[in-house]
Amino acid sequence: MKLIGIIAAVLVVLILPLTLHSLTLEQCNDQNIKGNFDLIIYANAFINDPETFIVLDKVDDKVIISPYAPEFKYRIFKNLNDKEALKIVNEILKNPSFVSTIKCSTIKDEENAFGYELKPVYFPWVFGILEPVETVYKKKDSIITIFTNLNPRVEKQLYGGGGSDHD
């Protein structure tokens, strides 16, 4: 069953319209984060959920950032100032038992910054890798879509039971 899901996900990515343009992620720090944002919390279904990350979407740029996921997989808090947004980021992502630091990346194209991605960087003993969720940002017109993928090794740890007889 998992193999079918993986194949379906790969096919969706392969058949996406070629008019989507990839955006880049450039390292930043929280001092760069100024203004008002729509805060998108992805996953966060349970403590130490490896799929959890947060996106701060600039309110004043007329570009919408949206996850390619069902609505139950994320939450959006509208029009928060930078202090409110960073307070929520720290409350959700900073867990000194599991997280070594929070990685800040600017979501941008050649000319414009559209927002920020904030991800926990885990201690190596938590999942065996530092960043278990991978993200790709694609832009078409005034919509940026976030595509996510949980590292297969971490997915197997969480949902595969660790046995070698699982697909």
Side-chain angles (χ1 to χ4, degrees):
M1 251 348 219
K2 287 185 188 179
L3 184 58
I4 293 171
I6 292 170
I7 292 170
V10 169
L11 288 175
V12 166
V13 171
L14 291 176
I15 62 174
L16 286 174
L18 296 175
T19 58
L20 294 176
H21 302 286
S22 290
L23 300 175
T24 59
L25 294 177
E26 184 178 284
Q27 189 171 352
C28 64
N29 59 50
D30 58 4
Q31 287 84 22
N32 299 110
I33 299 173
K34 301 288 183 219
N36 288 341
F37 302 93
D38 289 342
L39 182 140
I40 303 165
I41 304 170
Y42 187 85
N44 199 35
F46 53 90
I47 191 165
N48 199 31
D49 183 346
E51 291 185 280
T52 301
F53 66 95
I54 295 176
V55 171
L56 301 179
D57 178 10
K58 287 186 175 183
V59 172
D60 60 356
D61 64 3
K62 297 185 177 31
V63 174
I64 297 169
I65 300 175
S66 177
Y68 183 75
E71 288 185 15
F72 66 82
K73 194 77 169 166
Y74 62 93
R75 290 178 287 162
I76 299 176
F77 295 91
K78 297 280 191 180
N79 203 21
L80 301 175
N81 68 41
D82 47 54
K83 288 180 183 23
E84 294 170 318
L86 289 171
K87 181 178 183 234
I88 292 170
V89 166
N90 287 321
E91 287 173 357
I92 291 174
L93 299 183
K94 271 195 176 173
N95 184 332
S97 299
F98 306 111
V99 176
S100 66
T101 188
I102 296 174
K103 179 181 173 183
C104 178
S105 301
T106 304
I107 304 164
K108 59 183 288 185
D109 61 12
E110 302 84 31
E111 302 160 5
N112 304 304
F114 301 106
Y116 302 92
E117 174 188 84
L118 297 120
K119 283 186 185 176
V121 177
Y122 292 92
F123 292 115
W125 57 83
V126 178
F127 296 112
I129 59 173
L130 302 178
E131 294 182 53
V133 67
E134 301 163 1
T135 53
V136 175
Y137 294 81
K138 302 278 186 174
K139 184 175 184 287
K140 181 177 180 182
D141 302 323
S142 63
I143 298 176
I144 296 172
T145 305
I146 310 167
F147 296 93
T148 63
N149 185 41
L150 184 60
N151 182 289
R153 178 177 172 184
V154 176
E155 187 172 8
K156 185 173 182 179
Q157 285 176 18
L158 293 175
Y159 308 116
S164 60
D165 58 343
H166 291 84
D167 286 333

